[in-house]
Amino acid sequence: MGKAITTTRAQESTNAIERMYITMRHLFNRGFYKPNGVSGEALKNALLQLRPEIYGSVAEEKAELNGLIYVLERLPEGIEQCSFINLTSDEGYGISHIDPIVPPKRRRNCYRIDDEQMNIEITRGRSDIYDILTHLTFLFIESEKICKRVLITDTEKTIRDWTKLEAAVQKEELTQAEREIALIHTANILGRSFEEILEVYKKFSTESNPDRFLNVIYWLGKLALDEEISGEKRAVTFSALLRERLGHHIHGERWANNIKEVLTKNNLMHRPIHIISANMHSVMNSLFAKAALKTEFPNTDSLEIFEALSSSGNAALRKKVTDLAEKNGMIIMDDTSGTNIDVQIFDTAKIKINNCSYEFSEEDVDKKPVIFVMDYAFGEQAYETIDELLKPYTTKKNNVSLINVDSVSIMGKAGILEGGKGDLMIPSAHIFEGTADNYPFKNELCAKDFEGYGLKVFEGTMVTVLGTSLQNKDILKFFHKSTWNVIGLEMEGVHYQKAIQSASKIRKSIGEDVKVRYAYYASDNPLETGSTLASGGLGTTGVKPTYLITDKILKQIFTT
């Protein structure tokens, strides 16, 4: 007899991710599932086996508070009160009387149909569905934990703490003393200290709803109790139109055609076009902030200007930069296609002398670069949008023209596996999690470009993950320590490169010698406890790497 073969935690975790994705795709094709049904339990068991870092103590008896904040920032307000969650395509709710609810950390339109139902609009592809279902599964697990702690075994009665919380939630307004007493009862329900609960209460609190945390905990528990006691089942459904449309690039095609129409109208299709996937401020600010704000910051370092512009209280400064940019050839395209990807087009031939921070040669207008900045895509949406953008454009008069793309630059945030928040990653290849698919490329950027700026720089392979919510230390350590030489993880790299390679190497819709640039800065280190995405944002730590990468991209564009 041979020795028994034991699997490692990394192998078990990989298997759990695969099970989750197969289950989610099956449920999508089926059209619905019940969180407490067989399929819902399969999702919960896989997530509990995986124990992702972002969800902290999800597998423990006590409530996971940081994970709860992270999830609810990405789901519509009030979703914890809804028994029926319906994922839909863009089906025209925008013209109804119902105002959309947009989560603070995810750009998706959601509609509260009635007291029991929330509709979530999916226009960004499968990655959006995976993201939502993973977060919902976490919520259902936390909901059941509350139910188990408050329901007295073999009865339909609840413990005293729950009765007191219910009474507090039903009051229109709480005094400070009543609020603190309610939080003490909540701490007991969640298995956490009063100090921890108070800290999370403050993070949830808003001006219009100061007691939001108490409401969230109450409704999470209430729906699970209703299901346990009276059999009122919760359900997640997928609309028929969503199932029919998904994967057909409907929104991406509409987005790309709108852009190519504007490029054609402005006679820019034949000019050298440089695509940059970034945020909607760093390129504009790098080009025009110094000239626009020379009165406010006469002898100030550029970084101080950028930090001032990133402050929420400086809207007037941002407007000055935008106004100067528009006078110097910037075209703003707010998204109307449903992709939620806004666009800026910079025609450098229209930039007046002394209005720009960069110098470029006085060459023939037809050779002057056009800089096309697109906001961040989400997961698989990166393939849909770039694939459609790089296709030949057929005008209304049936004229076909190719887009003259000179380079594609991708700047983004990513999880780093060595180093900390704000450090840099320069990839030489992307690999796709869960498969052996790999995409090596010649990166025009290298680690040497970023040396001497006080930031750590790592060069190697990036892994494109199926979802940041599904990573745990065991998988990430394997990636990092194996010969894959993975330095970080993100969600779009493979999808961008797949679209660029097919357009340049196979379909020949853009030049085969198209230049690519990839650079990422670290938003978190999922291998370090307390440094995951659930620990909070970057603040001003992200300003320096963002503008450093932008500067290197722009310098290469203007010197080639």
Side-chain angles (χ1 to χ4, degrees):
M1 292 287 288
K3 288 183 179 178
I5 297 170
T6 56
T7 54
T8 64
R9 267 292 295 152
Q11 287 168 327
E12 287 172 4
S13 301
T14 302
N15 182 254
I17 289 177
E18 196 174 340
R19 284 207 320 277
M20 280 202 79
Y21 275 89
I22 290 168
T23 305
M24 285 193 275
R25 292 194 80 147
H26 161 69
L27 296 178
F28 173 73
N29 291 329
R30 180 182 166 198
F32 75 97
Y33 77 98
K34 292 186 171 68
N36 273 4
V38 175
S39 302
E41 289 299 329
L43 277 180
K44 285 186 277 194
N45 291 338
L47 194 68
L48 289 170
Q49 184 182 8
L50 184 61
R51 299 197 296 277
E53 298 309 308
I54 221 157
Y55 294 150
S57 57
V58 66
E60 297 174 27
E61 194 180 321
K62 62 184 178 182
E64 167 51 36
L65 300 177
N66 282 332
L68 189 63
I69 294 169
Y70 178 83
V71 163
L72 289 176
E73 283 177 337
R74 286 155 179 81
L75 291 173
E77 190 170 348
I79 196 164
E80 70 281 352
Q81 301 172 10
C82 297
S83 308
F84 302 98
I85 296 159
N86 187 22
L87 274 57
T88 73
S89 178
D90 178 0
E91 299 177 18
Y93 299 117
I95 60 173
S96 72
H97 71 284
I98 307 168
D99 291 327
I101 305 166
V102 181
K105 295 290 177 75
R106 282 281 185 271
R107 290 168 298 174
R108 49 171 76 109
N109 290 331
C110 310
Y111 299 89
R112 183 76 179 264
I113 304 302
D114 53 37
D115 290 345
E116 296 179 312
Q117 183 176 334
M118 181 74 76
N119 282 13
I120 303 176
E121 212 169 68
I122 305 292
T123 58
R124 305 173 79 185
R126 285 191 183 89
S127 296
D128 223 8
I129 294 174
Y130 300 152
D131 188 59
I132 290 165
L133 292 187
T134 308
H135 293 332
L136 287 177
T137 303
F138 168 83
L139 276 190
F140 295 141
I141 291 169
E142 292 300 312
S143 175
E144 281 179 24
K145 281 188 199 175
I146 296 168
C147 177
K148 283 175 185 171
R149 289 183 72 94
V150 302
L151 191 62
I152 299 168
T153 312
D154 298 329
T155 71
E156 293 185 359
K157 293 181 180 177
T158 54
I159 60 173
R160 182 172 176 271
D161 290 299
W162 180 257
T163 311
K164 295 293 181 184
L165 172 61
E166 189 169 37
V169 166
Q170 286 167 355
K171 283 193 175 182
E172 278 191 25
E173 205 172 325
L174 297 173
T175 65
Q176 184 61 24
E178 287 172 333
R179 184 175 290 117
E180 286 181 358
I181 290 165
L183 289 171
I184 289 168
H185 290 301
T186 306
N188 194 38
I189 290 166
L190 300 181
R192 293 283 188 171
S193 69
F194 174 70
E195 193 176 20
E196 287 174 302
I197 293 297
L198 192 59
E199 191 181 327
V200 175
Y201 171 85
K202 288 172 186 171
K203 288 178 182 175
F204 269 94
S205 187
T206 63
E207 211 171 303
S208 59
N209 189 3
D211 296 316
R212 187 183 171 213
F213 177 67
L214 294 175
N215 283 288
V216 165
I217 298 305
Y218 169 71
W219 280 102
L220 283 176
K222 185 180 187 311
L223 293 189
L225 283 166
D226 287 347
E227 193 158 345
E228 185 69 28
I229 295 167
S230 59
E232 291 179 28
K233 302 286 184 189
R234 290 169 286 181
V236 178
T237 55
F238 306 88
S239 78
L241 265 180
L242 175 64
R243 286 186 288 149
E244 183 185 308
R245 288 175 176 176
L246 196 75
H248 295 303
H249 291 199
I250 288 165
H251 300 287
E253 185 179 20
R254 196 185 300 163
W255 175 83
N257 285 339
N258 289 345
I259 289 156
K260 285 184 271 198
E261 193 178 319
V262 170
L263 289 171
T264 303
K265 186 180 168 185
N266 288 276
N267 199 26
L268 300 174
M269 285 283 277
H270 67 287
R271 297 258 299 277
I273 294 172
H274 300 267
I275 297 169
I276 303 176
S277 171
N279 51 57
M280 287 287 100
H281 55 78
S282 61
V283 173
M284 179 178 68
N285 290 347
S286 296
L287 291 171
F288 299 109
K290 223 168 185 178
L293 304 176
K294 57 189 173 192
T295 309
E296 291 83 354
F297 299 94
N299 301 304
T300 311
D301 181 72
S302 294
L303 190 61
E304 283 184 54
I305 300 173
F306 299 145
E307 283 181 350
L309 286 165
S310 70
S311 170
S312 57
N314 285 333
L317 294 182
R318 288 192 290 275
K319 188 177 184 311
K320 278 193 80 171
V321 178
T322 305
D323 289 347
L324 183 67
E326 288 184 311
K327 286 173 188 170
N328 284 268
M330 179 178 78
I331 302 165
I332 295 175
M333 291 183 64
D334 292 331
D335 180 62
T336 56
S337 66
T339 60
N340 284 308
I341 298 177
D342 296 334
V343 163
Q344 294 165 336
I345 299 167
F346 298 89
D347 180 356
T348 62
K350 292 184 179 176
I351 295 177
K352 300 174 187 76
I353 296 169
N354 298 327
N355 279 352
C356 180
S357 302
Y358 294 85
E359 291 180 10
F360 42 94
S361 58
E362 295 293 322
E363 63 209 0
D364 177 15
V365 169
D366 281 350
K367 292 180 181 175
K368 286 198 172 179
V370 174
I371 299 170
F372 171 92
V373 182
M374 58 180 281
D375 209 345
Y376 297 120
F378 186 71
E380 285 185 26
Q381 189 191 33
Y383 177 76
E384 175 179 337
T385 48
I386 292 292
D387 182 57
E388 291 297 331
L389 184 65
L390 300 184
K391 283 180 182 175
Y393 177 53
T394 306
T395 65
K396 288 170 186 173
K397 294 178 181 176
N398 285 326
N399 295 325
V400 178
S401 55
L402 299 178
I403 183 168
N404 183 21
V405 176
D406 207 60
S407 73
V408 183
S409 304
I410 312 297
M411 178 186 82
K413 289 185 289 189
I416 199 167
L417 300 184
E418 190 179 329
K421 290 185 178 186
D423 288 339
L424 300 174
M425 291 156 278
I426 312 299
S428 53
H430 288 290
I431 61 173
F432 198 18
E433 180 185 48
T435 71
D437 296 357
N438 54 86
Y439 297 81
F441 49 84
K442 182 188 181 300
N443 195 342
E444 296 294 317
L445 298 170
C446 65
K448 280 186 180 176
D449 294 332
F450 299 93
E451 285 172 1
Y453 293 94
L455 296 171
K456 290 181 185 173
V457 190
F458 300 89
E459 208 162 5
T461 308
M462 296 287 287
V463 62
T464 298
V465 297
L466 295 159
T468 51
S469 306
L470 293 181
Q471 306 311 308
N472 69 10
K473 286 184 180 177
D474 306 292
I475 294 176
L476 298 176
K477 280 177 184 171
F478 165 76
F479 275 134
H480 186 45
K481 291 180 179 177
S482 72
T483 51
W484 285 110
N485 185 32
V486 170
I487 54 170
L489 61 146
E490 49 75 59
M491 280 186 67
E492 291 82 28
V494 156
H495 306 298
Y496 279 126
Q497 191 59 27
K498 184 165 62 171
I500 295 163
Q501 282 181 200
S502 64
S504 61
K505 310 285 185 195
I506 301 167
R507 303 167 91 168
K508 309 294 184 185
S509 55
I510 61 171
E512 201 168 339
D513 58 349
V514 62
K515 298 177 183 72
V516 293
R517 304 180 189 92
Y518 288 91
Y520 300 90
Y521 61 94
S523 56
D524 64 301
N525 185 333
L527 289 179
E528 286 183 12
T529 303
S531 293
T532 67
L533 281 171
S535 66
L538 274 165
T540 55
T541 311
V543 174
K544 185 175 181 178
T546 298
Y547 284 94
L548 180 57
I549 294 169
T550 307
D551 179 61
K552 295 301 177 186
I553 290 170
L554 290 175
K555 277 179 177 167
Q556 284 199 8
I557 289 170
F558 289 134
T559 54
T560 51

